[in-house]
Amino acid sequence: VDVDECLDNNGGCQQICVNTMGSYECQCKEGFFLSDNQHTCIHRSIEGMNCMNKDHGCAHICRETPKGGVACECRPGFELAKNQKDCKLTCNYGNGGCQHTCDDTDTGPVCGCHQKYALHSDGRTCIEKDEAAIESSEYNATSVADVDKRVKRRLLMETCAVNNGGCDRTCKDTATGVRCSCPVGFTLQPDGKTCKDIDECLVNNGGCDHFCRNTVGSFECSCQKGYKLLTDERTCQDIDECSFERTCDHTCINYPGSFECLCHKGYTLYGLTHCGDIDECSISNGSCDFRCLNTMGSYECVCPPGKKLHWNKKDCVEMVKCLPNAKPTPKAQLVCSKTGGIESCFLSCPSNTLFVPDSENSYTLSCGVPVQHGKAQPRRNSTLPSCSDSPAPPIKQKARFKIKDAKCHLRPRSKEKTKDSGKQAVSDNCQVTFVNLKCDSSKKKRRGRKSPSKEVSHITAEFEVEMKSEEVSDTCNIDCVRKRMEQKLQTAIKTLRKSINKQQFYIQFSGTEYEVAQKPAKATEGHEACSTGQVLQDGKCVTCSTGTFYSGEHKQCVPCSPGTYQDTEGQLTCEPCPSNDGQGVTGARNVSECGGKDDHFLFLGQCSPGHYSSDGFKPCTVCPLGTYQPEPGRTLCFPCGGGLVTKYEGAVSFQDCETKVHCSPGHYYNSTTHRCIRCPVGTYQPEFGQNYCITCPGNTSTDFDGSTNVTHCKNQHCGGELGDYTGYIESPNYPGDYPANVECIWNINPPPKRRILIVVPEIFLPIEDECGDVLVMRKSASPTSITTYETCQTYERPIAFTSRSRKLWIQFKSNEGNSGKGFQVPYVTYDEDYQQLIEDIVRDGRLYASENHQEILKDKKLIKALFDVLAHPQNYFKYTAQESKEMFPRSFIKLLRSKVSRFLRPYK
């Protein structure tokens, strides 16, 4: 029985499928013609006759001539007729349809018969001469005896030579007459002649893991989405999408049959696999008291001049305010002493320290907090309000030091050196408010001179010393005190310069002394694998995490002791907590963990949401009516605005404000006009009753205003990588839906003597969209240039084709209507000597016939391997026969092997 191929996915035809006996063919609508892959349709353009045009008139094969126009060829076993278009059958094809002998003549094949046989009236089959005589007498004899004789004679003469002995399939002559048999996959019926297909799927699902589909004489296994069929053609294995390149921007997690992408902290997912920075400032101003500054993966709150950031990193507090139970922050101290004529200096850093390794041979180190006079924020906000009020500007000094023959490596000082005794102080302790040190030993070549072979390290140091108003007296006014302090600082810097020259300058963190720079000889002595702030773990250098500090003494990461915390990686000390009473947990990762952690990691002494106090600690006041506070440990409550009140005191979100209208998702409430306003383009709001819209992550935007979900945020960038040998193009925001009104143009221009092969694994364009979204591949931007491929529909079956022009201009356009997932289309360029072979392969229906073969063209790893060999045939030898067997099903290898050997046969 004829199979209607058109019932299965329209036979793979893009437009019209027509079933024929034993086969099917694709046709196109008006204005389109069938491309030579026989499945997809191309928009008809006005140009000279070519083979892409269905009306080329060739019965079998059409070839384009170099000058334009077409030439026809015939399939093996046929000859071109006189009209140069039709094909005549010859005896080479199926013995010309003759049962016995065949002879070629001008009019076509003429059949003949063996001895004792005569040609039947159909001009093809042969019958025994006696029977021929009976048939020619047109069965005049009607007597029973005659008929009886004829039946006997028939039994006697039944032979495989005549009509295949009446067998459906295989016929064998035996002493008792003919014996029929059936091929594998069929069973012989009781009549002894007919073969019937076996439905293998009925028994044990045909041995298939997932799905079994019966075919004539065989069956086919296939798998659920997210699984691939192994080469035993039975077993299904999960596809590990995370092993592919470019699956996820950040973190990929593979699940059986699927996968999930996750983003780093401060980033959010869009387009299913991409990560974009969250603009926290668009969400209620990042909850900042004053101004919010978005950064990649994070954000910062900024305060106006004269105010500083509270330890909760959000509120702004007056500079002079002190925490009620806080002790003054321990200051940095520069202590210099002289031993046996050698000056040595120590800088101790008890709080507000920041160590930043800029590169292998340079680092920056700051200690203390610079005094702000309306200037920009320091790099690291002090978490403690300073208890000394200093209205006068500080004393600042900058100095540059040079250390010859030493490298900027901050390393713990060796024990034997510290056993010095008989120290004699040169200067009394110099209290420093802020120190910023930069050590750099990157080589700089000088022009004109021969660059010195020795390494030189430069240290730039900035010092700030606070003016002490208590030292002002009748004998010495403020200017006099300032001069004294400036001199004191200068003397200290002089001594420091001497100590640096003698390599006797150390910095103290957490009780460990560090050398600022080291001579190479020292460095090689105990060459350490990792730089300061990092430890060796499983052969890799790992930076000390938050909640710990790097102890130079023990060369390991040590958790912060109770009463201290550390919120930055790779530091050399921990910061003291605001209360300074030495209580709390070990390993506090931020100031809010100082007082200990409860179930919610909340600071036990902090004000809870809906409450506030002057310092964020208990005792707290309830947020009054008309205000709310969603976060713990705050010093203020946010007003609802517009004279709105809250349902109750202690409100924790804007949704508790009694707005005049209730806004739905995609809108925000304007407290001035008391109306709901649609979220502008590039923002979204998934919740009811909010007073803000969230900005889309990264470089994404929305197609329209009033968006309710982050999935509406789409990247507009046209994706892809265009290489000389392999590459790919992809629709913007793939695999998420592409944006509206986008136009992408790609140009593939392969190196000389190379042609392009393209595989479209699948393409998703909305069908109901009157061809609004189109992907077209042409020779150039000109609409009349040779077109290779054009589609405006979803097409889930893969297709491979060669470009009809050497170069390709590819355009993708979308309208404002519906959108889809789009496409990711890989391509490879191959040596034009293989043109015939490649075309032979991609035009063979068997390449697309089975689901297994279709899955190969969708399998990113297999396509990569195939493309690798097509682009660089010598890479074929990288794959062993065993590997190939494990990669591709037998039927696929068989298909390729036959074509390759036929292609290479002329050279044998």
Side-chain angles (χ1 to χ4, degrees), residues 517-570:
Q518 291 182 310
K519 295 209 170 184
K522 293 181 195 167
T524 48
E525 245 172 56
H527 187 67
E528 285 153 37
C530 296
S531 57
T532 304
Q534 294 188 323
V535 289
L536 205 60
Q537 246 179 47
D538 305 330
K540 282 185 187 162
C541 287
V542 181
T543 306
C544 289
S545 63
T546 54
T548 72
F549 73 97
Y550 174 77
S551 163
E553 202 174 338
H554 304 104
K555 302 216 178 3
Q556 61 190 44
C557 302
V558 179
C560 292
S561 55
T564 67
Y565 73 96
Q566 182 50 268
D567 56 6
T568 311
E569 293 183 335

Side-chain angles (χ1 to χ4, degrees), residues 17-35:
C17 177
V18 180
N19 185 44
T20 61
M21 288 305 285
S23 184
Y24 72 101
E25 65 177 51
C26 300
Q27 292 178 359
C28 295
K29 296 175 191 164
E30 189 65 41
F32 290 84
F33 62 88
L34 198 63
S35 78

Side-chain angles (χ1 to χ4, degrees), residues 504-792:
Q504 292 290 319
F505 175 42
Y506 305 104
I507 302 178
Q508 191 173 24
F509 297 105
S510 307
T512 310
E513 291 171 7
Y514 289 83
E515 288 186 65
V516 180
Q518 291 182 310
K519 295 209 170 184
K522 293 181 195 167
T524 48
E525 245 172 56
H527 187 67
E528 285 153 37
C530 296
S531 57
T532 304
Q534 294 188 323
V535 289
L536 205 60
Q537 246 179 47
D538 305 330
K540 282 185 187 162
C541 287
V542 181
T543 306
C544 289
S545 63
T546 54
T548 72
F549 73 97
Y550 174 77
S551 163
E553 202 174 338
H554 304 104
K555 302 216 178 3
Q556 61 190 44
C557 302
V558 179
C560 292
S561 55
T564 67
Y565 73 96
Q566 182 50 268
D567 56 6
T568 311
E569 293 183 335
Q571 295 305 303
L572 309 175
T573 176
C574 292
E575 296 297 321
C577 282
S579 55
N580 258 357
D581 53 7
Q583 286 181 341
V585 290
T586 307
R589 291 190 304 251
N590 54 49
V591 73
S592 59
E593 288 178 6
C594 268
K597 303 177 197 175
D598 64 6
D599 296 338
H600 308 291
F601 283 105
L602 285 180
F603 185 27
L604 290 169
Q606 277 181 291
C607 293
S608 52
H611 296 72
Y612 74 104
S613 73
S614 61
D615 58 3
F617 294 104
K618 291 175 179 171
C620 308
T621 312
V622 163
C623 286
L625 287 174
T627 67
Y628 62 95
Q629 179 50 265
E631 297 181 352
R634 297 296 297 257
T635 65
L636 54 92
C637 296
F638 297 117
C640 292
L644 298 177
V645 293
T646 46
K647 298 163 192 162
Y648 37 74
E649 289 183 330
V652 295
S653 91
F654 178 78
Q655 283 145 320
D656 295 329
C657 300
E658 294 195 304
T659 53
K660 307 213 168 145
V661 276
H662 193 53
C663 296
S664 57
H667 297 74
Y668 71 97
Y669 187 82
N670 183 325
S671 302
T672 317
T673 59
H674 299 290
R675 293 171 75 168
C676 294
I677 294 171
R678 284 169 75 84
C679 287
V681 169
T683 68
Y684 65 99
Q685 177 50 266
E687 292 179 32
F688 281 94
Q690 282 295 8
N691 59 339
Y692 61 87
C693 292
I694 305 167
T695 302
C696 277
N699 301 324
T700 62
S701 186
T702 57
D703 288 341
F704 41 82
D705 61 357
S707 293
T708 57
N709 199 299
V710 69
T711 55
H712 298 160
C713 295
K714 300 172 184 176
N715 195 330
Q716 316 282 321
H717 173 69
C718 301
E721 279 176 21
L722 305 179
D724 277 351
Y725 292 93
T726 57
Y728 70 98
I729 60 161
E730 72 180 11
S731 51
N733 205 51
Y734 183 87
D737 288 357
Y738 53 79
N741 297 316
V742 74
E743 181 180 16
C744 293
I745 288 173
W746 299 271
N747 283 292
I748 305 176
N749 194 356
K753 291 183 76 63
R754 293 188 81 79
R755 305 291 299 227
I756 308 165
L757 167 70
I758 292 160
V759 173
V760 182
E762 50 187 9
I763 179 165
F764 298 92
L765 306 174
I767 297 165
E768 64 277 9
D769 231 23
E770 281 308 291
C771 244
D773 303 344
V774 189
L775 175 66
V776 62
M777 301 185 186
R778 292 201 293 260
K779 182 179 180 179
S780 69
S782 156
T784 57
S785 65
I786 298 173
T787 305
T788 292
Y789 178 83
E790 185 173 1
T791 186
C792 58

Side-chain angles (χ1 to χ4, degrees), residues 245 453 737:
E245 292 170 3
S453 58
D737 288 357

